[in-house]
Amino acid sequence: MSRKDKMRLGAFMMIPGHHVASWRYEHSNAEGVLDYSFYRQVAKTAERGKFDMVFLADSYAVHERFPLALEQAVQVRLEPLTLLSALAADTERVGLAGTVSTTYNEPFHVARKFASLDFISGGRAAWNVVTSHTEDEAHNFNRDKEMLHDLRYERAQEFVDVVRQLWDGWEDGALVGDKEGSRFADRSKIHRTNHQGKWFQVQGPLNVARPPQGHPVVIQAGASEPGRELAARTAEVIFTAWQTLEEAQSFYKDIKGRLALYGRQHSDLKIMPGVFPIIGRTEEEAREKKARFEELIPVETGVALLSGLIGFDLSPYPVDGPLPELPKVEQVNGIKSRFQLIKDLADRDELTIRQLYQRIAGARGHREIFGTPEQIADQLQEWFENDAADGFNIMPPYLPGGLEDFVDLVVPELQRRGLFRTEYEGKTLRENLGLQRPANFYAERAVESSVTAG
Amino acid sequence: MSRKDKMRLGAFMMIPGHHVASWRYEHSNAEGVLDYSFYRQVAKTAERGKFDMVFLADSYAVHERFPLALEQAVQVRLEPLTLLSALAADTERVGLAGTVSTTYNEPFHVARKFASLDFISGGRAAWNVVTSHTEDEAHNFNRDKEMLHDLRYERAQEFVDVVRQLWDGWEDGALVGDKEGSRFADRSKIHRTNHQGKWFQVQGPLNVARPPQGHPVVIQAGASEPGRELAARTAEVIFTAWQTLEEAQSFYKDIKGRLALYGRQHSDLKIMPGVFPIIGRTEEEAREKKARFEELIPVETGVALLSGLIGFDLSPYPVDGPLPELPKVEQVNGIKSRFQLIKDLADRDELTIRQLYQRIAGARGHREIFGTPEQIADQLQEWFENDAADGFNIMPPYLPGGLEDFVDLVVPELQRRGLFRTEYEGKTLRENLGLQRPANFYAERAVESSVTAG
């Protein structure tokens, strides 16, 4: 092994699977999409496999991008923070990462909920910061239109800063509990945030003490220019979507290169591209499974998913023809990086619309790999050892079987190669990811901002 | 027993106790205020005692009403929805009631989180609707001042209506899961909310199906005129604070009398006043315990707590003198009913400021009862059998011991008298409370509002 560090692994809990037609697959649990015991089973499987964390994506709307979208797509899911809190009670070591948007929430609530989850789980909470780009979501929060890309990221920057300051409002050791002296807390270690910004005015402090991890781990997924800056400045884990080694290496180098500007080290941020693995005991079995998934995709769903990913309606065009002329990336108000990636893929391999949606419907823009456990391990190892990834976010096509296969077949192979842990290193997510516990903003600066009498 | 119905019981989980100096009490667990296992122990004790539910109050700020408030008062707590979700995994039958404000939240989030908790818990979720009246909270959400009383309630009315409609967006049976027919959901049973109101515009539907209870149970605590109307129209449980049988009867009669106006039955709403019980194996032991709690209250804390409850600063006045001249109740922008209650109590019993805070510091305005298990049971029975209460929200002065005493000593006495259940009647909170599962707004009206193609 050429690297001292171990590979990090996240398990993407999209129920009943990451493939768009996963619920139709004969071995997937389509009835269990709102059944907590299903999620518990998946989380326990990830913990058995020594995964760093389980990860929940989220959205604040149903998306009806084509007439049958509500019939053919799984549009219901449990809410991340409630679900992860329940899983905190049912697991012991696996990290609990949830998506919460900065566009439709308030920093006080978000800081407090993740702090609370961090206490409940004994230091295993992680927040995936997203900015919500769909109009459907805007319509559920009193708005006619989605917020523009640059404004969303401007708000996100300020939001994350406020949340971090709120997490620091109570210094470690602020709770004294001195019954005799009638001193429950040490007020010299409690600090108001007093934030007055463009987007937020937050007095603070939180009504919860500093979380066990200091700060829950902050995750980011944006790959656009403002997304990269936000990540380089504030993220500790990045989830990304890259198809080729070269693209992933270029992104890896770019992001790691930006860290110094913010006084951060190379190891302060883990880059974990998404991987969609189709695992067979033989190559033939994997190939058959892949073909089976592709044929399960209804045409309308496939075209719609592709349209949604690029923010352009493809339904009027022949499904066995090429992509039509698309707008320039600068005109896209959705996920710019995803748009570019799909367009490049279609151009490179000269794919029809059908071929393109079959290629991306499972991985939804992420890297699809298939084969035997050894072949899967090879493909992960290649990226890991060539400065393309610090680890991977594993997106099983269907659940629970897809994750069980990974844990039972691929994890042992990674362990044999010395690439992956055989036991958790620590109790907190931060310890397992090899991330330092952050210093306290106020304690470090010895700021004269202790709370004064009201 | 003169009533067919059984008494309902809630356990108020204020950690480490409802008494303001509970954390100083030698038998309270002051170190565990942010320790999840403490809450779990309390919830499991409540479940052992066959309580209908555990209940979490909440606030979105620390409150610094006097110079030592951050030192002497417990200002940290876990966030209700994360905490209750963890407890859902660790309990099986007890209901899980959490406070969430309509002033600093969005209906979509609130509907979704409680729906999610309802799924995770198998139908045990309840939402306590509050409107947040303090300036401290306003300062954490971009505002200079708290919202005025009437506006808060106007917003709350609309908020609750939207949440209920969102819960109905997916009819029961909307999820089909037909793999062969490629039909995951039946879109004729999915309805957009399309709410366009003064406070909210929400398209809906939720991205979660109708909760197991249809609607999680809705709880209300306001006792002002708009609070009573909101409760009569929308609440299924009311928590109230009354000192005397007469006051409680008057309120009970008033609220039950308003139900018909909204097409509701007498049994559709359970009135559960708060009760602060100090239990001794002998009357003498109870009396000593009561005195012990009173002497634990630091003067500054006592005066401040009283000032906060009435929204008027008493710190300049002699602690062993009477209450000064107070503003009229109409001028109060806090909890009007609580103000009136405390003022009436001081006038009636001619109490000094110290005597008054000692009287209310534990119960914080709720009814304090003390004595042997038989005497406690007598006092509960009196209210229950005389149209003053359908049940009680039990507020143990300290935890876990105060609740353990109630469960081990008072509950068996209530059961002997046939006043309280010996086993849970159902699996959902609604079943245990004897509340009907609500009809679906859309299904009932057969509204032509099924979602159309976007």
Side-chain angles (χ1 to χ4, degrees):
Chain A
M1 195 182 68
S2 68
R3 295 179 57 157
K4 208 180 75 186
D5 229 16
K6 294 277 194 267
M7 187 185 285
R8 319 295 171 185
L9 289 180
F12 201 91
M13 283 209 292
M14 184 171 275
I15 299 286
H18 199 272
H19 192 281
V20 70
S22 61
W23 71 270
R24 295 189 65 201
Y25 187 55
E26 40 273 34
H27 302 296
S28 83
N29 176 4
E31 294 73 40
V33 292
L34 294 172
D35 184 346
Y36 170 66
S37 65
F38 185 7
Y39 291 85
R40 181 177 55 205
Q41 181 185 4
V42 172
K44 282 177 172 284
T45 302
E47 188 166 72
R48 180 163 63 78
K50 314 294 181 202
F51 271 60
D52 291 83
M53 56 185 146
V54 294
F55 176 83
L56 288 170
D58 201 26
S59 149
Y60 301 143
V62 302
H63 299 289
E64 196 173 28
R65 298 198 174 90
F66 64 113
L68 293 179
L70 285 176
E71 294 229 352
Q72 294 183 349
V74 176
Q75 302 262 8
V76 292
R77 54 175 81 180
L78 297 176
E79 187 275 333
L81 272 160
T82 43
L83 175 56
L84 293 176
S85 300
L87 293 176
D90 275 327
T91 57
E92 290 179 5
R93 305 299 279 277
V94 73
L96 305 162
T99 297
V100 173
S101 168
T102 53
T103 300
Y104 301 116
N105 283 290
E106 291 289 331
F108 189 92
H109 286 316
V110 172
R112 183 161 174 246
K113 280 173 201 286
F114 277 103
S116 191
L117 176 61
D118 209 45
F119 275 104
I120 292 169
S121 64
R124 296 185 284 137
W127 170 30
N128 181 41
V129 182
V130 300
T131 64
S132 303
H133 65 277
T134 72
E135 196 167 300
D136 289 326
E137 291 167 289
H139 291 169
N140 287 328
F141 298 96
N142 314 321
R143 300 196 195 159
D144 291 333
K145 295 284 289 177
E146 70 274 24
M147 199 182 286
L148 290 176
H149 190 274
D150 287 353
L151 286 180
R152 292 203 310 270
Y153 274 88
E154 183 188 275
R155 181 180 162 107
Q157 291 267 13
E158 188 178 326
F159 195 114
V160 174
D161 288 345
V162 175
V163 167
R164 283 192 188 280
Q165 290 200 307
L166 285 167
W167 283 333
D168 283 347
W170 297 67
E171 290 182 36
D172 299 321
L175 300 189
V176 180
D178 172 11
K179 291 183 179 187
E180 272 308 302
S182 192
R183 211 155 151 267
F184 180 75
D186 176 353
R187 69 196 297 283
S188 75
K189 293 188 173 173
I190 307 170
H191 308 275
R192 292 226 187 269
T193 313
N194 287 328
H195 176 82
Q196 296 284 337
K198 174 178 169 186
W199 293 89
F200 305 106
Q201 295 81 50
V202 182
Q203 181 177 268
L206 286 185
N207 52 350
V208 64
R210 197 167 195 244
Q213 294 187 101
H215 300 177
V217 173
V218 174
I219 303 174
Q220 239 274 291
S224 66
E225 182 53 34
R228 288 177 191 220
E229 274 307 298
L230 178 62
R233 195 164 76 79
T234 68
E236 301 174 287
V237 172
I238 304 188
F239 290 153
T240 56
W242 302 111
Q243 295 289 331
T244 67
L245 177 64
E246 293 69 32
E247 287 166 342
Q249 284 173 323
S250 161
F251 178 79
Y252 189 95
K253 192 174 169 190
D254 175 58
I255 294 287
K256 296 274 186 176
R258 296 178 192 228
L259 293 174
L261 196 65
Y262 299 106
R264 305 180 68 197
Q265 306 293 315
H266 186 274
S267 62
D268 289 346
L269 193 161
K270 312 296 179 190
I271 297 179
M272 299 172 66
V275 167
F276 176 82
I278 301 182
I279 306 162
R281 277 156 214 271
T282 62
E283 206 177 319
E284 187 50 31
E285 187 185 309
R287 204 179 303 275
E288 278 166 15
K289 212 180 262 186
K290 182 167 149 58
R292 177 71 184 131
F293 276 115
E294 284 174 3
E295 77 186 24
L296 285 174
I297 309 170
V299 173
E300 280 165 306
T301 296
V303 172
L305 182 82
L306 189 55
S307 301
L309 284 171
I310 63 174
F312 185 88
D313 182 13
L314 295 170
S315 64
Y317 302 92
V319 70
D320 290 312
L323 279 183
E325 190 75 21
L326 295 178
K328 292 212 185 334
V329 66
E330 293 75 23
Q331 296 164 273
V332 174
N333 190 32
I335 305 177
K336 291 176 194 292
S337 55
R338 193 66 51 87
F339 174 89
Q340 191 64 53
L341 181 154
I342 291 169
K343 193 164 178 299
D344 290 350
L345 177 68
D347 290 349
R348 196 187 66 205
D349 294 359
E350 295 181 4
L351 302 176
T352 65
I353 290 176
R354 188 196 302 272
Q355 288 167 331
L356 190 58
Y357 82 62
Q358 288 188 335
R359 187 80 73 86
I360 61 102
R364 302 179 199 233
H366 289 269
R367 178 187 178 207
E368 178 175 311
I369 57 181
F370 78 99
T372 64
E374 292 73 23
Q375 288 170 326
I376 299 284
D378 287 346
Q379 293 171 83
L380 298 179
Q381 184 169 4
E382 184 193 15
W383 283 37
F384 179 64
E385 293 189 340
N386 288 285
D387 290 338
D390 297 313
F392 303 94
N393 200 13
I394 304 301
M395 302 164 150
Y398 68 103
L399 290 166
L403 185 63
E404 286 166 354
D405 282 350
F406 194 94
V407 164
D408 294 330
L409 304 175
V410 180
V411 164
E413 179 61 27
L414 294 172
Q415 290 169 330
R416 260 192 296 279
R417 300 183 189 189
L419 292 167
F420 188 60
R421 69 166 65 85
T422 53
E423 196 40 80
Y424 284 107
E425 294 86 8
K427 286 197 167 178
T428 70
L429 173 58
R430 204 167 267 289
E431 286 164 359
N432 288 319
L433 284 173
L435 292 169
Q436 293 192 329
R437 192 171 187 276
N440 187 304
F441 175 84
Y442 300 100
E444 210 175 33
R445 286 162 186 72
V447 170
E448 294 294 312
S449 63
S450 66
V451 186
T452 52
Chain B
M1 196 183 65
S2 67
R3 295 178 58 156
K4 207 180 76 187
D5 228 17
K6 295 276 193 266
M7 187 184 287
R8 318 294 172 184
L9 290 179
F12 201 91
M13 282 210 292
M14 184 171 274
I15 300 286
H18 200 272
H19 192 280
V20 70
S22 62
W23 70 271
R24 294 189 66 201
Y25 186 54
E26 40 273 35
H27 302 296
S28 82
N29 176 4
E31 294 72 38
V33 291
L34 294 172
D35 185 346
Y36 169 67
S37 65
F38 185 6
Y39 291 86
R40 181 176 55 204
Q41 180 184 4
V42 172
K44 281 176 172 285
T45 301
E47 189 166 72
R48 179 163 63 80
K50 314 292 180 201
F51 271 59
D52 292 84
M53 56 186 147
V54 294
F55 175 85
L56 288 169
D58 201 28
S59 151
Y60 300 144
V62 301
H63 298 288
E64 195 173 29
R65 299 199 173 90
F66 63 113
L68 293 180
L70 285 176
E71 295 230 350
Q72 294 184 348
V74 176
Q75 302 261 7
V76 292
R77 54 175 82 180
L78 296 177
E79 187 277 332
L81 274 161
T82 43
L83 177 56
L84 293 176
S85 300
L87 292 175
D90 276 327
T91 57
E92 289 178 8
R93 304 300 279 273
V94 72
L96 304 162
T99 297
V100 172
S101 168
T102 53
T103 300
Y104 301 116
N105 283 291
E106 290 288 332
F108 189 92
H109 286 316
V110 172
R112 183 161 176 246
K113 280 172 202 284
F114 277 103
S116 190
L117 176 62
D118 210 44
F119 275 104
I120 292 169
S121 65
R124 296 185 282 137
W127 169 31
N128 180 42
V129 182
V130 301
T131 64
S132 304
H133 65 277
T134 72
E135 197 167 302
D136 289 327
E137 290 167 292
H139 291 170
N140 287 328
F141 298 95
N142 315 320
R143 299 197 195 158
D144 291 335
K145 295 284 290 178
E146 71 274 26
M147 199 183 287
L148 289 175
H149 190 273
D150 287 353
L151 286 181
R152 291 203 311 269
Y153 273 89
E154 183 188 274
R155 180 181 162 107
Q157 292 266 15
E158 188 178 328
F159 195 114
V160 174
D161 288 345
V162 176
V163 166
R164 283 193 188 279
Q165 290 200 307
L166 285 168
W167 282 333
D168 283 347
W170 296 67
E171 290 182 35
D172 299 320
L175 299 189
V176 180
D178 172 10
K179 292 184 180 187
E180 272 309 302
S182 192
R183 206 151 153 270
F184 181 75
D186 176 354
R187 70 198 295 285
S188 75
K189 294 188 173 173
I190 307 170
H191 308 274
R192 291 225 188 269
T193 313
N194 287 330
H195 176 83
Q196 296 284 338
K198 174 178 170 185
W199 293 90
F200 304 107
Q201 295 82 48
V202 182
Q203 180 177 270
L206 285 185
N207 51 349
V208 64
R210 196 165 195 245
Q213 292 188 101
H215 299 178
V217 174
V218 174
I219 304 173
Q220 239 273 294
S224 65
E225 182 53 34
R228 287 177 191 221
E229 274 307 297
L230 178 62
R233 196 164 74 81
T234 69
E236 300 174 288
V237 173
I238 305 188
F239 291 153
T240 57
W242 303 112
Q243 294 289 330
T244 68
L245 177 66
E246 293 69 31
E247 288 166 339
Q249 284 173 324
S250 160
F251 178 79
Y252 189 95
K253 191 175 171 192
D254 175 59
I255 294 287
K256 296 274 186 178
R258 296 178 191 229
L259 292 175
L261 196 64
Y262 299 105
R264 306 181 67 197
Q265 307 293 317
H266 187 274
S267 62
D268 290 346
L269 193 160
K270 312 297 178 188
I271 298 179
M272 299 172 66
V275 167
F276 176 83
I278 300 181
I279 306 162
R281 276 155 215 273
T282 63
E283 204 176 321
E284 186 51 29
E285 187 185 311
R287 204 180 301 276
E288 278 168 14
K289 214 182 258 187
K290 181 165 149 58
R292 177 69 185 131
F293 276 115
E294 285 174 2
E295 78 186 22
L296 284 175
I297 308 170
V299 173
E300 280 168 305
T301 296
V303 173
L305 182 83
L306 189 55
S307 301
L309 283 171
I310 63 175
F312 185 89
D313 182 15
L314 295 170
S315 64
Y317 302 93
V319 71
D320 290 312
L323 278 184
E325 189 75 21
L326 295 178
K328 292 209 183 341
V329 67
E330 293 76 22
Q331 297 164 272
V332 173
N333 189 32
I335 304 178
K336 292 178 194 289
S337 55
R338 191 67 51 86
F339 173 90
Q340 191 63 52
L341 180 154
I342 291 170
K343 193 163 177 300
D344 290 349
L345 177 69
D347 290 350
R348 194 187 66 204
D349 294 359
E350 296 181 4
L351 302 177
T352 65
I353 290 176
R354 187 195 303 271
Q355 287 167 331
L356 190 58
Y357 82 62
Q358 288 185 336
R359 186 80 73 88
I360 61 104
R364 301 178 199 234
H366 289 269
R367 177 187 178 208
E368 178 175 309
I369 57 180
F370 78 99
T372 63
E374 293 73 23
Q375 289 171 325
I376 298 284
D378 287 346
Q379 294 171 83
L380 298 180
Q381 183 168 5
E382 185 192 15
W383 282 36
F384 179 65
E385 293 188 342
N386 289 284
D387 289 338
D390 296 313
F392 303 94
N393 200 13
I394 304 301
M395 303 167 149
Y398 69 103
L399 289 166
L403 185 63
E404 286 165 356
D405 282 349
F406 194 93
V407 165
D408 295 330
L409 304 174
V410 180
V411 164
E413 179 61 27
L414 294 172
Q415 289 168 332
R416 259 192 298 279
R417 301 183 189 187
L419 293 167
F420 189 60
R421 69 166 64 85
T422 53
E423 197 40 80
Y424 284 107
E425 294 86 9
K427 286 197 167 179
T428 69
L429 173 58
R430 204 167 267 287
E431 286 164 0
N432 288 319
L433 284 173
L435 293 169
Q436 292 191 330
R437 192 171 187 277
N440 188 305
F441 174 84
Y442 300 99
E444 209 173 37
R445 285 159 187 75
V447 171
E448 294 294 312
S449 63
S450 67
V451 185
T452 52

